[in-house]
């Protein structure tokens, strides 16, 4: 605003309710990204961005504030591709090699991101189901083989970028005006991603035909677990939406308990039936014990929130 205040919101102004990390990342949710930054700490996050080559320590972390989580750093396309290359390289240092420069001797790469974390994020970014509902299936972000994809769009549609990587190649594309003029509602998902997909298709002709598919490896020693996408806990047969997540042994969330439950409701009031409710007015219904803050979203989504007693 004119008085120096700002409001962080999602690019589509949509609210998706409670989301898992994988869905928040794949759906490019700004608000969860800022919440994670606040939990980690601006100083700690900024130091990590320096290790990734996305910041150079020229400014105090407070200069960026919450903008660190949503593209406030000034980076080049080369910086961005190099950082995503670290994810693609199992968390080890990654550098670009330019064709017009002589090759330098290979030096053992240092570990910048733990391998298991890098692999987990790669699984997040390569899962087309995780991008729903913000990005529809069978679009420019989806491939017939394993490709991790992330797009970005700056405020005012001044930049549209996409980075994607397979087991063999990494491709990055930036679109925008050299004088920083806004584009006609051109975002990363409907412009840069299409060009990236075309390039990936040329690099992977057989894989694009559904041949030689190789999935990304899961974190070593981690185990898959069915998770309720609403509670974030181990799913039960009553969960309406379930995702498979990988966990380090001992870090699994607890089993879900009484989150989705069948209760008797007083048909006259819509509230939980009391002991004095006559039997003919007691109706069994399935409810979700969501926080009331999600009430409006739950009703729009067809979910029933547990009523008061």
């Amino acid at each position: 605003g004119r008085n120096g205040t700002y409001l962080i919101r999602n690019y589509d102004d949509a609210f998706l309710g409670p989301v898992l990390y994988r869905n928040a990342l794949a759906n490019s949710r700004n608000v969860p990204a800022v919440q994670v930054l606040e939990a980690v700490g601006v100083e700690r996050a900024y130091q990590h961005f320096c290790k990734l080559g996305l910041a150079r320590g020229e400014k105090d972390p407070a200069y960026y504030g919450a903008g660190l989580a949503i593209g406030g750093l000034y980076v080049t396309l080369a910086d961005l591709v190099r950082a995503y290359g670290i994810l693609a390289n199992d968390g080890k240092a990654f550098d670009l090699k330019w064709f017009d420069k002589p090759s330098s001797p290979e030096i053992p790469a240092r570990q910048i991101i733990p391998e298991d974390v890098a692999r987990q994020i790669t699984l997040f970014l390569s899962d087309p189901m995780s991008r729903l509902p913000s990005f529809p299936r069978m679009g420019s972000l989806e491939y017939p083989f394993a490709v991790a994809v992330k797009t970005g769009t700056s405020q005012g549609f001044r930049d549209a970028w996409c980075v994607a990587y397979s087991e063999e190649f990494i491709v990055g594309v930036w679109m925008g005006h050299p004088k920083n003029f806004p584009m006609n509602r051109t975002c990363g998902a409907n412009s840069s991603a299409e060009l990236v997909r075309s390039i990936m298709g040329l690099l992977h002709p057989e894989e694009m035909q559904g041949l030689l598919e190789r999935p990304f490896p899961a974190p070593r020693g981690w185990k898959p677990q069915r998770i309720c996408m609403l509670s974030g806990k181990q799913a039960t047969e009553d969960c309406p939406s379930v995702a498979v997540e990988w966990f380090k042994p001992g870090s699994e969330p607890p089993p879900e308990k009484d989150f989705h439950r069948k209760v008797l409701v007083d048909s006259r009031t819509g509230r939980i039936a009391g002991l004095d409710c006559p039997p003919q007015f007691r109706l069994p219904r399935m409810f979700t014990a969501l926080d009331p803050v999600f009430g409006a979203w739950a009703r729009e989504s067809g979910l029933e929130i547990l009523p008061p007693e």
Side-chain angles (χ1 to χ4, degrees):
R2 293 181 180 178
N3 60 356
T5 61
Y6 60 89
L7 175 65
I8 294 173
R9 59 189 186 188
N10 298 311
Y11 76 99
D12 55 4
D13 290 329
F15 181 57
L16 303 184
V19 293
L20 301 176
Y21 284 127
R22 72 159 52 230
N23 300 90
L25 179 61
N27 279 268
S28 293
R29 298 288 95 182
N30 288 337
V31 175
V34 171
Q35 292 172 337
V36 170
L37 175 68
E38 291 174 345
V40 171
V42 172
E43 176 74 33
R44 185 179 175 192
Y46 185 71
Q47 294 304 320
H48 188 62
F49 288 143
C50 288
K51 293 179 183 178
L52 294 174
L54 294 174
R56 292 165 180 81
E58 298 170 349
K59 295 184 182 294
D60 188 90
Y63 173 83
Y64 301 99
L68 279 176
I70 53 175
L73 287 170
Y74 303 107
V75 301
T76 66
L77 179 62
D79 294 335
L80 203 58
V81 172
R82 187 183 299 110
Y84 275 89
I86 295 173
L87 285 175
N89 199 31
D90 271 350
K92 296 184 178 68
F94 175 84
D95 207 355
L96 304 178
K97 297 180 180 179
W98 304 99
F99 293 102
D100 59 348
K101 293 184 179 180
S103 59
S104 56
E106 293 289 337
I107 301 175
R110 61 193 178 97
Q111 197 79 38
I112 297 178
I113 300 175
E115 180 190 277
D116 51 4
V117 173
R119 289 190 173 188
Q120 187 180 44
I121 295 173
T122 294
L123 294 178
F124 289 175
L125 296 178
S126 61
D127 178 14
M129 294 298 293
S130 295
R131 303 184 195 113
L132 297 173
S134 300
F135 304 104
R137 293 291 309 272
M138 311 312 294
S140 56
L141 301 180
E142 190 161 346
Y143 294 76
F145 62 104
V147 177
V149 189
K150 188 70 183 73
T151 63
T153 307
S154 64
Q155 185 177 7
F157 298 94
R158 286 175 168 80
D159 304 271
W161 60 266
C162 178
V163 177
Y165 57 90
S166 66
E167 285 279 14
E168 295 183 82
F169 299 99
I170 183 168
V171 177
V173 167
W174 171 86
M175 287 186 178
H177 194 283
K179 293 188 177 181
N180 202 33
F181 292 155
M183 296 179 285
N184 185 19
R185 300 193 66 82
T186 297
C187 65
N190 66 15
S191 59
S192 304
E194 294 177 2
L195 182 52
V196 166
R197 197 176 193 281
S198 298
I199 297 171
M200 274 291 189
L202 295 175
L203 295 172
H204 296 278
E206 293 184 303
E207 287 87 345
M208 289 296 286
Q209 298 178 40
L211 305 174
L212 304 178
E213 180 183 357
R214 296 188 302 275
F216 285 118
R220 301 174 197 266
W222 288 30
K223 303 295 183 183
Q225 180 71 57
R226 295 175 71 254
I227 299 298
C228 173
M229 296 178 67
L230 294 176
S231 70
K233 298 181 179 180
Q234 292 184 33
T236 67
E237 63 275 5
D238 296 323
C239 294
S241 52
V242 176
V244 176
E245 294 282 15
W246 292 81
F247 293 93
K248 184 184 298 184
S251 69
E252 303 91 344
E256 192 172 75
K257 184 179 180 181
D258 294 333
F259 188 76
H260 302 287
R261 63 179 92 162
K262 184 178 291 185
V263 299
L264 294 175
V265 172
D266 188 329
S267 62
R268 301 168 297 179
T269 64
R271 294 171 175 257
I272 296 177
L275 296 176
D276 58 346
C277 178
Q280 66 268 29
F281 296 113
R282 293 171 174 260
L283 297 178
R285 288 173 64 184
M286 182 67 74
F287 290 97
T288 302
L290 279 172
D291 189 295
V293 72
F294 298 115
W297 171 83
R299 286 189 292 273
E300 293 174 359
S301 304
L303 293 173
E304 294 276 9
I305 292 184
L306 194 66
E309 294 185 9

